[in-house]
Amino acid sequence: MWSERQRSGAHYRSAPSSYSHRVNMESLFSKYVKIASVVAAYWTISISMVFVNKYLLSSEDLKLDAPLFVTWFQCGVTVILCALLSVAGQLFPDYISFPVLKFDPKVMRDTLPLSIVFVCMITFNNLCLKYIGVAFYFVGRSLTTVFNVVFTYLLLQQTTSAKALLCCGVIIAGFFLGVNQEGVSGSLSIIGVVFGVMASASVALNAIFTKKILPLVDNNVWRLTLYNNINATLLFLPLMAIFGEAKTIYAFPLLSSVTFWNWMIVSGVFGFAIGYVTGLQIQVTSPLTHNISGTAKACAQTVLACIYFREEKTSLWWLSNFVVLAGSGGYTEVKRQEMKEQHKQNIAAAEKQEEILDAMEAKKPPPPV
């Protein structure tokens, strides 16, 4: 039997281990809660933004036929919020973490090509949403992955594996099945589908151009956001004039309505917030997990739209969504495996290089005494 001292010693030796285990469990739990909170915020903001934009773009209550104006206003809100948060970050650094945004006309010119693609992306996104239902929005813009593969090859001369190409084929099949079934249900908008395809191409191009332009702004995403949206607010002005939206806005009966402007401000805030939570989700998870989360969010958005708008869809229509989802998920998994294999090869190459250097070091003659 143990003496009192032995039992006491055993107790004190086991206590730190138990405490450490409890701290680790609490730390892991906190991490899971943080990830779940960020993902939930991303889903909530993203889905809410789509529904709010749909209301502003094609609601029977508003009847505002000015999609460029709505998009321009959202860009303006983003510029104002970036400026306010930058100032607030300097005044209250202990409470608000936001980089100091410097303005440089030369950088503004250098980011113009990306801004043109950015304007196309957000314009085609909103035009697509104007003409098609929220339920079909997922399938209508599902070709982004396909265009990403195409532009990666055309612009960057990077090839894609056969497995990834097969997944792209599945996505294309799901897209055309969805278009067919949308026509069967009588709610197909050809112009909406065209805008969806153009939006998908613009999203893919935007990702490639963003990667190229980021070093010009010291890899600061918020600074790039500022320049992009300043350029966009200027680029939209002649576009609104060309398409006659100035007259439409002037004649809009709800122009003095506080409720209308509240919805416009909310849409602008959501547009700004989605950029923040997207970066946050990538930070707390990974780019790959972000893609999976985005795909799952789109599926939830489709179901919610069918329930909210009381839309009944055929079995083949739902199958098209599943096919697109399967193709997108398969592509993500293929890229994950390829990245993992590439990582292993990089580690093996680094170890080999280290072995060669060690061997060369061992063969060196000893220094003269």
Side-chain angles (χ1 to χ4, degrees), residues 3 71 76 79 85 87 96 104 180 204 237 247 250 277 305 316 354:
S3 66
T71 314
V79 171
L85 285 172
V87 173
I96 299 175
D104 186 343
N180 174 264
L237 293 175
K247 293 180 180 179
Y250 183 75
V277 293
L316 285 176
E354 190 174 347

Side-chain angles (χ1 to χ4, degrees), residues 131-137 139-140 175-190 193 311-314 316-317 320-321:
Y131 291 102
I132 68 173
V134 176
F136 188 61
Y137 192 54
V139 173
F175 171 79
F176 280 109
L177 178 60
V179 171
N180 174 264
Q181 289 304 300
E182 193 76 359
V184 169
S185 65
S187 55
L188 177 65
S189 167
I190 297 298
V193 172
E311 298 179 4
E312 293 184 4
K313 302 296 183 181
T314 64
L316 285 176
W317 187 93
S320 70
N321 281 264

Side-chain angles (χ1 to χ4, degrees), residues 1-14:
M1 294 182 65
W2 282 7
S3 66
E4 187 65 31
R5 181 175 294 181
Q6 286 174 320
R7 285 196 299 269
S8 176
H11 169 75
Y12 285 119
R13 282 194 298 270
S14 63

Side-chain angles (χ1 to χ4, degrees), residues 83-297:
L84 289 176
L85 285 172
S86 179
V87 173
Q90 296 176 63
L91 294 176
F92 311 102
D94 295 335
Y95 301 99
I96 299 175
S97 177
F98 200 86
V100 178
L101 298 177
K102 301 175 183 177
F103 183 76
D104 186 343
K106 181 180 181 302
V107 177
M108 187 173 170
R109 289 194 302 271
D110 292 339
T111 56
L112 186 59
L114 171 62
S115 298
I116 293 171
V117 175
F118 174 73
V119 165
C120 291
M121 180 184 73
I122 56 179
T123 301
F124 291 140
N125 270 331
N126 278 351
L127 286 172
C128 173
L129 189 58
K130 176 180 173 63
Y131 291 102
I132 68 173
V134 176
F136 188 61
Y137 192 54
F138 170 52
V139 173
R141 292 178 57 258
S142 60
L143 297 181
T144 299
T145 300
V146 178
F147 280 113
N148 189 53
V149 170
V150 172
F151 291 139
T152 298
Y153 176 74
L154 293 177
L155 301 178
L156 305 178
Q157 284 76 51
Q158 295 178 4
T159 57
T160 305
S161 67
K163 289 182 179 179
L165 290 175
L166 179 62
C167 294
C168 289
V170 173
I171 294 172
I172 293 171
F175 171 79
F176 280 109
L177 178 60
V179 171
N180 174 264
Q181 289 304 300
E182 193 76 359
V184 169
S185 65
S187 55
L188 177 65
S189 167
I190 297 298
I191 188 67
V193 172
V194 171
F195 282 134
V197 173
M198 296 173 77
S200 299
S202 301
V203 170
L205 272 177
N206 186 72
I208 293 173
F209 273 81
T210 297
K211 219 172 186 179
K212 183 179 179 182
I213 299 296
L214 259 176
L216 299 178
V217 291
D218 303 321
N219 291 309
N220 189 318
V221 175
W222 285 117
R223 196 177 177 203
L224 182 62
T225 299
L226 178 68
Y227 282 115
N228 246 349
N229 283 275
I230 290 175
N231 283 335
T233 53
L234 298 175
L235 290 170
F236 272 121
L237 293 175
L239 289 175
M240 287 190 290
I242 291 170
F243 288 96
E245 288 197 1
K247 293 180 180 179
T248 303
I249 297 162
Y250 183 75
F252 183 55
L254 297 177
L255 198 60
S256 59
S257 168
V258 175
T259 303
F260 166 70
W261 288 109
N262 283 341
W263 280 113
M264 288 286 285
I265 292 170
V266 167
S267 73
V269 171
F270 276 144
F272 172 82
I274 192 63
Y276 174 74
V277 293
T278 296
L280 195 60
Q281 182 171 246
I282 293 172
Q283 183 181 3
V284 300
T285 58
S286 69
L288 215 53
T289 305
H290 167 68
N291 290 338
I292 296 170
S293 174
T295 304
K297 183 273 305 179

